[in-house]
C-alpha cells in the first residue's frame, strides 16, 4: 500500500499522479465530504453539491501526513483543499468559489460531461 | 516575527505592482494566523485565475509557511473598477 510510512517522497508524488486521474473530479480535503473538518474544505464540498457533483473521489489529508505534504509539492500549491478535474489541478477553495460565481464552473463541469 | 497586514500589503505592492491591496487579518475568527487579501494589479491582465493566485502564492511563499489560512481574490484594475460600481 502506498500509505505505508516507508514510501519515499518520490513514490508519493508518483502515486499522486495516478490518484488525480482516478476520477473526473478528485478532491484533497480536511475531513470527508460527509464530515468536513475545516470551513474551506466544507465550502468546496458545498459548491460541488450545489452543482450536482456527488460522485467524486475525496482524500482526507488529515489521515496521512505524507499525503498532506505530498499533494502540496505535487501541485505546487500551499494550501488544502485542492481540486482536480480530469487529472488537472483547478485550484483551491477561492478559485472554485470564483468559478462558481462567474459561471465558469458550469462550463468546466460540462466539459467533464457533468450537468450542473 | 509575526506577520502583519502592512508587511503583506507592502510586499504585494512591491513585487506584484499591485495598485490596490486590502488585507484583512482573520486570525481572531480562526485558531491561528489567517489573512484574507484582495489584490488589484495590472500584472494579472490576460492571466487565468490559477496563474494569478500562483503569483500571489509565490510572492508570499515565505509568509504562507506560517499562515494557517489564506483567502485571496485577484482582480485587474478594470475588473476592480467594475466591481466598485456594483
Amino acid at each position: 500500500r502506498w500509505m505505508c510510512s516507508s514510501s519515499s517522497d518520490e513514490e508519493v508524488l508518483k502515486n499522486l499522479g495516478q490518484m488525480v486521474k482516478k476520477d473526473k473530479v478528485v478532491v484533497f480535503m480536511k475531513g470527508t465530504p460527509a464530515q468536513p473538518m475545516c470551513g474551506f474544505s466544507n465550502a468546496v464540498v458545498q459548491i460541488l453539491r450545489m452543482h450536482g457533483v456527488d460522485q467524486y473521489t475525496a482524500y482526507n489529508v488529515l489521515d496521512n501526513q505524507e499525503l498532506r505534504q505530498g499533494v502540496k509539492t505535487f501541485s505546487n500549491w500551499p494550501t488544502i483543499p485542492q481540486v482536480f478535474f480530469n487529472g488537472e489541478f483547478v485550484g483551491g477553495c477561492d478559485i472554485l468559489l470564483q468559478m462558481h460565481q462567474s459561471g465558469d464552473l458550469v462550463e468546466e463541469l460540462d466539459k467533464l460531461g457533468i450537468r450542473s | 516575527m509575526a506577520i502583519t497586514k502592512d508587511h503583506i500589503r507592502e510586499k504585494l505592492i512591491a513585487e506584484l505592482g499591485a495598485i490596490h491591496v486590502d488585507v484583512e487579518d482573520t486570525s481572531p475568527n480562526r485558531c491561528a494566523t489567517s489573512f484574507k487579501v484582495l489584490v488589484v494589479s495590472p500584472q494579472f491582465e490576460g492571466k487565468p485565475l490559477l496563474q494569478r493566485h500562483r503569483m500571489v502564492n509565490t510572492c508570499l511563499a515565505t509568509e504562507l509557511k506560517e499562515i494557517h489560512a489564506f483567502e485571496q481574490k485577484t482582480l485587474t484594475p478594470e475588473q476592480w473598477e467594475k466591481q466598485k460600481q456594483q
Side-chain angles (χ1 to χ4, degrees):
Chain A
R1 260 158 56 96
W2 81 275
M3 285 182 182
C4 121
S5 60
S6 66
S7 60
S8 68
D9 293 349
E10 214 169 290
E11 239 175 295
V12 173
L13 294 181
K14 206 181 95 198
N15 280 313
L16 274 160
Q18 291 163 355
M19 287 163 78
V20 298
K21 292 191 189 100
K22 207 166 182 177
D23 209 342
K24 285 179 186 173
V25 180
V26 175
V27 178
F28 294 86
M29 60 180 289
K30 292 182 179 173
T32 62
Q35 197 170 16
M37 300 299 282
C38 155
F40 298 104
S41 290
N42 183 43
V44 165
V45 169
Q46 297 306 326
I47 292 167
L48 290 175
R49 186 169 297 159
M50 242 184 280
H51 287 265
V53 188
D54 35 31
Q55 298 293 320
Y56 58 92
T57 303
Y59 294 99
N60 182 0
V61 301
L62 296 179
D63 279 348
N64 187 319
Q65 280 306 311
E66 274 178 51
L67 180 62
R68 188 174 179 170
Q69 280 314 310
V71 75
K72 292 179 186 180
T73 310
F74 177 75
S75 48
N76 183 26
W77 193 258
T79 50
I80 306 287
Q82 297 191 9
V83 180
F84 290 80
F85 289 169
N86 264 351
E88 293 269 333
F89 179 61
V90 175
C93 170
D94 293 325
I95 288 183
L96 207 70
L97 184 62
Q98 283 174 61
M99 285 171 71
H100 164 66
Q101 288 164 344
S102 68
D104 290 344
L105 185 56
V106 174
E107 224 171 280
E108 288 303 317
L109 289 173
D110 204 44
K111 282 186 206 162
L112 303 180
I114 300 170
R115 279 293 154 99
S116 291
Chain B
M1 192 190 73
I3 298 160
T4 63
K5 289 202 289 183
D6 285 339
H7 171 80
I8 290 177
R9 184 184 298 108
E10 280 158 26
K11 204 161 182 190
L12 288 167
I13 290 170
E15 290 181 28
L16 288 185
I19 58 159
H20 178 87
V21 181
D22 281 336
V23 188
E24 191 188 333
D25 185 345
T26 52
S27 307
N29 309 338
R30 309 193 182 276
C31 48
T33 317
S34 311
F35 290 97
K36 186 174 182 172
V37 301
L38 165 70
V39 191
V40 183
S41 168
Q43 290 183 23
F44 293 147
E45 220 101 46
K47 296 204 173 76
L49 205 49
L50 180 61
Q51 204 178 330
R52 295 179 188 188
H53 282 226
R54 282 204 192 282
M55 287 163 75
V56 173
N57 289 343
T58 306
C59 175
L60 299 174
T62 329
E63 290 76 12
L64 281 177
K65 282 183 192 138
E66 286 165 54
I67 295 174
H68 174 75
F70 186 71
E71 295 165 80
Q72 57 170 308
K73 201 163 183 183
T74 48
L75 299 176
T76 61
E78 196 186 331
Q79 289 174 319
W80 188 49
E81 285 303 322
K82 241 185 229 169
Q83 187 167 301
K84 276 195 290 187
Q85 283 162 18
Q86 278 169 4

